[in-house]
């Protein structure tokens, strides 16, 4: 499928549902980042903007990117309305083709999974190289299929965190895996329904 198909798909996903007025951060982000000193953060695939807004409230300066212009525009508006316009920069990027400029103390990629072609290993490797020394890359993937997921393929297989980091092919002398596990939690879907889901969590730090 083409880049145009991917853009159209995700534009339609966001345009087809009401704007979220109070998006919530992902729990794996809040449990991981609370102990880190604020700095420069990059949110890959910002979606409704819950992670970017939460980080900004904690004192981070956030660059938030998404493939869908609708999502980017909505996040920029939410940031301004909450007095966080000076802490959140929203940019449109198709990560298959472009990556934000800069170096960061934190880069997070939550559920950066798509039915379209995306060289995730290259994107995540690029992200690791965009970390400052001491910075962290947090990758949270689906480890199971929620009842409300757009992907209900019974044969889908989710790569483990160790498989993800192996595909990234990082030099262990420079990057350290601090966490690679598969915790479970009770998640709430867009219609308020709940289900137990598995997250695949990978946390990598740049040592040198």
């Amino acid at each position: 499928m083409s880049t145009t198909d991917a853009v159209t798909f995700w534009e339609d996903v966001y345009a087809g549902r009401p704007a979220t007025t109070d998006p919530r951060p992902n729990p794996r982000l809040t449990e991981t980042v609370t102990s880190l000193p604020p700095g420069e953060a990059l949110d890959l695939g910002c979606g409704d903007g819950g992670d970017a807004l939460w980080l900004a409230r904690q004192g981070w300066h956030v660059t938030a990117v998404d493939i869908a212009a609708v999502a980017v525009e909505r996040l920029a508006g939410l940031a301004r309305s909450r007095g966080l316009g000076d802490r959140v920069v929203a940019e449109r990027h198709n990560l298959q083709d472009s990556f934000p400029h800069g170096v960061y103390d934190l880069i997070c990629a939550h559920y950066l999974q798509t039915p379209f072609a995306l060289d995730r290993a290259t994107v995540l490797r690029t992200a690791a190289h965009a970390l400052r020394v001491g910075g962290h890359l947090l990758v949270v993937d689906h480890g199971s299929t929620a009842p409300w997921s757009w992907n209900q393929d019974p044969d889908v297989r989710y790569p483990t965190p160790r498989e993800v980091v192996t595909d990234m092919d990082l030099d262990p002398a420079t990057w350290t895996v601090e966490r690679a596990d598969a915790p479970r939690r009770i998640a709430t879907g867009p219609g308020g329904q709940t289900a137990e889901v598995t997250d695949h969590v990978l946390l990598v730090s740049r040592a040198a």
Side-chain angles (χ1 to χ4, degrees):
M1 296 183 180
S2 70
T3 296
T4 301
D5 292 334
V7 172
T8 300
F9 175 85
W10 289 110
E11 291 287 6
D12 288 347
V13 165
Y14 288 103
R17 67 191 190 198
T20 303
T21 58
D22 189 22
R24 301 298 183 182
N26 284 295
R28 303 304 175 198
L29 175 73
T30 59
E31 72 183 23
T32 302
V33 174
T34 300
S35 62
L36 300 178
E40 300 286 338
L42 173 61
D43 183 8
L44 299 176
C46 63
D48 292 322
D51 290 346
L53 294 173
W54 182 85
L55 285 167
R57 292 190 191 101
Q58 311 311 306
W60 293 80
H61 287 85
V62 187
T63 299
V65 305
D66 202 276
I67 191 173
V70 173
V72 169
E73 292 164 3
R74 286 177 176 175
L75 172 55
L78 285 173
R80 289 192 298 269
S81 69
R82 286 155 174 72
L84 298 170
D86 61 335
R87 289 189 174 272
V88 177
V89 175
E91 300 179 357
R92 184 188 168 279
H93 284 270
N94 181 350
L95 295 172
Q96 184 70 15
D97 303 320
S98 66
F99 195 90
H101 295 292
V103 289
Y104 303 92
D105 303 288
L106 171 69
I107 300 177
C108 53
H110 280 79
Y111 311 112
L112 193 64
Q113 293 158 303
T114 175
F116 300 91
L118 176 65
D119 186 352
R120 273 188 18 121
T122 295
V123 171
L124 295 177
R125 188 182 309 115
T126 300
H129 281 271
L131 291 173
R132 289 190 174 97
V133 173
H136 290 80
L137 170 63
L138 174 64
V139 182
V140 182
D141 289 337
H142 295 295
S144 64
T145 301
W148 52 83
S149 171
W150 52 263
N151 184 1
Q152 292 296 325
D153 181 355
D155 297 322
V156 66
R157 181 184 178 279
Y158 299 107
T160 68
R162 288 292 177 182
E163 289 172 331
V164 171
V165 77
T166 296
D167 288 344
M168 290 166 65
D169 193 25
L170 299 175
D171 183 352
T174 303
W175 290 273
T176 301
V177 176
E178 295 191 0
R179 179 179 181 182
D181 60 2
R184 301 183 67 82
R185 63 184 172 89
I186 300 299
T188 302
Q193 66 274 51
T194 60
E196 187 178 57
V197 299
T198 299
D199 292 320
H200 285 172
V201 183
L202 173 66
L203 182 66
V204 177
S205 62
R206 184 165 190 166

